[in-house]
Amino acid sequence: MYSRNSVRYLSGSIQARARTLKFGSLDSIKLREPIVPTHKNFDVNPNHPLWQFFPEGSETETCFRPRAEIEHIKSRPWTMAELRRKSFEDLHTLWYTVLKERNALGREIRLAQAIQDPDFAQHIEIDDKLVKVQKRIKVVLLERQTAFERTQLMQDVQEKYLAEFKQRYVDATGEGEETDVELGEKLVRLQYAIFGIHPQVADFDLEKDVNERMIQGIAYIADLKFSRYLATSGDKIEGPLDGIVEQLPFFLKETDVAVEELREIRENGVRKLDKIEVFAFVRNALETFIEEEAEVEQ
């Protein structure tokens, strides 16, 4: 059974529902312009990873580049000869640059197929060129890997050759089959072929070329020159050379000058560098030497 209050509530609700809705004048209502669907209506992080699928990133104005714009992209695939001259870091960067462009082209091609737009032949043509570049990068890296593995297998052969060359260099009289000039030329070729050290110090890339292999080459060359000096001069200066501080002068300068610097280094008690300090020391020393040579030439 319902109470009086319940009956009043129910009757009031029924009456409210039965009332006729009345609207005022519609002239005062202003309708806004419809919002055109576009990505600009959304607040999207400009660094969002999906922007990488658009050619201009978050600055891209259209989701599909028309054929006229694509036709202006005059390009050709990188050749094998050009790629072989690139460093590993350059090839790595180029690979991901190509991949990024292929992602943008792939998205546009799929969009054109979805809306049944046949005007995307230029996109496929450019993508084919990029595929060639990626295949050639793989071939170049495979060549380098194969060469590296062969080098490892030939390590014993290299060590034997270096030992034989040292013996010939130290024992050379400057006459006969190998003159001093010929030995010097062979040493330049050897340091470049085995240790990757450029013939001209001015051509060094101090950030890339100063590495562990170069340090090994400097030690080998310095030992050659110092050993020959001891064998030919009769000087009783104590050997061997101890560390890069004593070795570097023999790599950069004439032997007589290097010997005097060696005496000065030992008299001043210059400490031997820790391994972590070697690269920075060599870079600074080479940079100073290059600047001094440039001033002399001027």
Side-chain angles (χ1 to χ4, degrees):
M1 296 180 64
Y2 297 104
S3 63
R4 289 185 177 181
N5 292 334
S6 299
V7 172
R8 288 177 184 175
Y9 175 77
L10 291 173
S11 62
S13 300
I14 294 173
Q15 291 176 0
R17 293 177 185 174
R19 291 174 185 169
T20 303
L21 296 176
K22 296 182 179 180
F23 296 95
S25 174
L26 299 179
D27 295 337
S28 61
I29 299 177
K30 296 182 179 180
L31 299 178
R32 292 182 295 179
E33 293 291 332
I35 300 175
V36 179
T38 173
H39 71 274
K40 294 182 178 180
N41 295 334
F42 302 93
D43 185 14
V44 181
N45 186 342
N47 297 320
H48 195 286
L50 289 180
W51 280 121
Q52 298 297 318
F53 287 87
F54 294 82
E56 302 298 332
S58 60
E59 302 298 325
T60 303
E61 296 294 334
T62 177
C63 61
F64 186 81
R65 287 173 289 182
R67 178 176 179 179
E69 182 178 342
I70 293 295
E71 285 179 342
H72 288 298
I73 303 177
K74 304 297 181 183
S75 61
R76 62 168 178 80
W78 288 76
T79 65
M80 293 290 293
E82 291 170 334
L83 293 173
R84 287 189 180 106
R85 291 195 292 268
K86 297 295 182 182
S87 66
F88 176 79
E89 290 77 11
D90 290 340
L91 292 177
H92 185 82
T93 301
L94 180 59
W95 173 274
Y96 280 99
T97 300
V98 169
L99 180 61
K100 179 179 176 181
E101 180 60 24
R102 288 199 64 205
N103 284 339
L105 288 169
R107 180 193 55 77
E108 291 176 330
I109 291 172
R110 298 297 184 274
L111 177 61
Q113 292 172 337
I115 62 176
Q116 297 182 350
D117 184 351
D119 195 16
F120 59 88
Q122 294 292 328
H123 294 70
I124 295 178
E125 181 181 343
I126 294 177
D127 187 64
D128 290 341
K129 294 178 183 178
L130 298 177
V131 170
K132 287 182 180 179
V133 174
Q134 288 188 313
K135 289 181 177 179
R136 290 171 181 175
I137 291 175
K138 285 185 176 181
V139 172
V140 170
L141 293 176
L142 178 60
E143 290 176 346
R144 294 184 183 181
Q145 178 65 23
T146 303
F148 173 77
E149 292 175 355
R150 288 177 178 174
T151 301
Q152 296 301 307
L153 294 173
M154 295 176 62
Q155 190 68 32
D156 293 340
V157 177
Q158 286 186 6
E159 294 297 332
K160 181 179 178 181
Y161 176 78
L162 291 174
E164 292 176 350
F165 184 84
K166 177 182 177 180
Q167 192 65 42
R168 298 206 317 270
Y169 190 90
V170 172
D171 295 341
T173 61
E175 300 176 355
E177 294 183 0
E178 291 181 308
T179 65
D180 290 343
V181 174
E182 290 172 337
L183 281 172
E185 292 175 350
K186 289 182 179 180
L187 178 58
V188 170
R189 293 196 296 270
L190 178 149
Q191 73 181 38
Y192 187 63
I194 296 181
F195 299 105
I197 301 176
H198 291 283
Q200 301 296 328
V201 178
D203 294 334
F204 287 178
D205 184 334
L206 299 181
E207 291 301 320
K208 295 181 179 180
D209 292 342
V210 178
N211 51 39
E212 187 171 354
R213 195 60 176 162
M214 172 185 270
I215 302 303
Q216 294 173 354
I218 292 174
Y220 176 79
I221 295 166
D223 181 56
L224 279 184
K225 295 181 177 181
F226 184 63
S227 298
R228 184 172 184 185
Y229 172 79
L230 294 179
T232 57
S233 68
D235 194 334
K236 300 302 182 181
I237 187 170
E238 185 178 351
L241 300 174
D242 188 17
I244 191 66
V245 175
E246 295 186 358
Q247 294 163 350
L248 194 57
F250 287 87
F251 172 72
L252 294 174
K253 302 177 181 180
E254 297 294 332
T255 303
D256 292 340
V257 177
V259 170
E260 293 305 316
E261 288 194 14
L262 175 62
R263 295 184 193 278
E264 185 178 347
I265 289 170
R266 291 181 175 179
E267 289 175 1
N268 294 333
V270 177
R271 70 177 180 85
K272 184 178 179 180
L273 297 179
D274 294 330
K275 188 174 182 180
I276 196 173
E277 301 173 295
V278 170
F279 287 177
F281 171 78
V282 172
R283 288 192 184 100
N284 292 334
L286 291 176
E287 185 177 7
T288 301
F289 180 80
I290 292 171
E291 291 175 353
E292 291 175 351
E293 289 294 302
E295 291 178 358
V296 171
E297 291 179 359
Q298 291 177 358

